[in-house]
Amino acid sequence: GAVVSQHPSRVICKSGTSVKIECRSLDFQATTMFWYRQFPKQSLMLMATSNEGSKATYEQGVEKDKFLINHASLTLSTLTVTSAHPEDSSFYICSASLTGTGDTEAFFGQGTRLTVV
Amino acid sequence: QKEVEQNSGPLSVPEGAIASLNCTYSDRGSQSFFWYRQYSGKSPELIMFIYSNGDKEDGRFTAQLNKASQYVSLLIRDSQPSDSATYLCAANNFNKFYFGSGTKLNVKP
C-alpha cells in the first residue's frame, strides 16, 4: 500500500508554545489529506481536511486559529498546534486518500503523541 | 460528525473461534465502509473495505454490508491471539472517513 510518513512520533512541549507536525505522502501525490485526533480509548475524530493550494476545511467545533493547517505541496501537509495547553495532549494522526480501481482507501501516518506540560 | 456506532467491548473469544464485530452508521450518504485494526499507541491499519451490499471475503476476514439496515460487520474466522486489538469501523463520505469508537477484541489462547 501507499506510505504516509508523520513526524515527529512523540513530542513534549511546554504550555503556551507551538508544535508543528508534518505529514508526507512518500510514494504518491495527495491533493487532500486529513487530520485526526484521538483521545485515550476514544475514536479518531476528524479535525480538518487539508487541501493542497487552498484553505483547510475544519470540522464543527475545531478551532482553526488554534490548529493551523498548511498543505504546501502535493506531498506535505503540516498541522501546527498553537499556544498548546495540557488539554491539547492527544494522539494526532494524519491520513491521505488514494483512489484506485476499486474505491478510495485512506493511508495513515504513524501518529504523533503530543504531551503538553 | 457523521455518527458511526460500535460496541466498545471488550469482546472475548477463545482461540480458533469466530469473532463477530458490528457497526451501524447514521449517514445514508456514506459510500463505502472500512475496517481498521489498531494496536495500542499505533495508527490504524486497514483490514478490508466494502461498498456493495452482501459479503466480501479476504482470507480469515469477511465483511458484511446491509445498506438498508445501515449495518456493517466483520467476521474473523479461526481467531488468533495476535488478532487481539481494537477494531475500528469507518464510513467514507466523499473521501472523509468517520470512525466509530472501536471494539476491543481479546482472543484467549
Side-chain angles (χ1 to χ4, degrees):
Chain A
V3 179
V4 175
S5 178
Q6 190 172 339
H7 178 81
S9 58
R10 290 180 180 273
V11 58
I12 300 173
C13 71
K14 291 184 177 180
S15 186
T17 62
S18 296
V19 174
K20 180 184 286 187
I21 303 170
E22 293 187 348
C23 180
R24 295 180 183 273
S25 56
L26 297 185
D27 51 0
F28 67 102
Q29 292 182 332
T31 55
T32 304
M33 292 185 177
F34 302 89
W35 287 96
Y36 296 84
R37 178 168 56 183
Q38 186 177 35
F39 292 107
K41 299 185 179 181
Q42 295 187 25
S43 185
L44 281 74
M45 185 191 78
L46 179 64
M47 298 175 66
T49 303
S50 172
N51 304 298
E52 188 271 335
S54 64
K55 291 182 179 179
T57 304
Y58 290 82
E59 295 296 301
Q60 190 174 7
V62 178
E63 300 175 60
K64 62 180 181 180
D65 294 330
K66 180 167 186 63
F67 299 100
L68 300 179
I69 292 172
N70 185 8
H71 199 141
S73 73
L74 287 172
T75 60
L76 174 64
S77 174
T78 60
L79 168 68
T80 301
V81 183
T82 63
S83 186
H85 291 284
E87 58 264 32
D88 298 323
S89 299
S90 186
F91 192 46
Y92 291 86
I93 307 175
C94 71
S95 77
S97 295
L98 185 62
T99 301
T101 55
D103 200 336
T104 297
E105 183 177 339
F107 296 93
F108 289 87
Q110 303 94 320
T112 298
R113 174 75 60 192
L114 170 64
T115 302
V116 184
V117 298
Chain B
Q1 295 271 337
K2 313 289 184 181
E3 288 193 359
V4 177
E5 300 286 342
Q6 291 181 258
N7 188 319
S8 62
L11 172 66
S12 293
V13 299
E15 183 175 356
I18 296 175
S20 177
L21 305 163
N22 304 312
C23 169
T24 59
Y25 61 95
S26 62
D27 184 12
R28 287 190 177 275
S30 300
Q31 295 111 27
S32 53
F33 306 87
F34 295 70
W35 284 99
Y36 287 86
R37 178 171 59 195
Q38 186 177 27
Y39 294 106
S40 180
K42 303 293 185 183
S43 273
E45 52 188 35
L46 179 68
I47 297 174
M48 62 190 305
F49 63 85
I50 185 169
Y51 51 87
S52 299
N53 274 326
D55 295 0
K56 179 181 178 183
E57 186 174 320
D58 184 0
R60 296 187 295 114
F61 301 96
T62 299
Q64 299 173 316
L65 173 60
N66 183 324
K67 290 186 177 181
S69 301
Q70 296 176 241
Y71 175 87
V72 193
S73 67
L74 179 70
L75 300 177
I76 306 175
R77 290 181 298 281
D78 188 24
S79 296
Q80 301 297 308
S82 58
D83 293 327
S84 297
T86 296
Y87 288 79
L88 302 173
C89 171
N92 177 10
N93 189 311
F94 293 100
N95 291 343
K96 290 186 179 182
F97 286 72
Y98 296 94
F99 287 83
S101 56
T103 298
K104 186 174 176 61
L105 173 66
N106 290 328
V107 181
K108 298 180 178 179

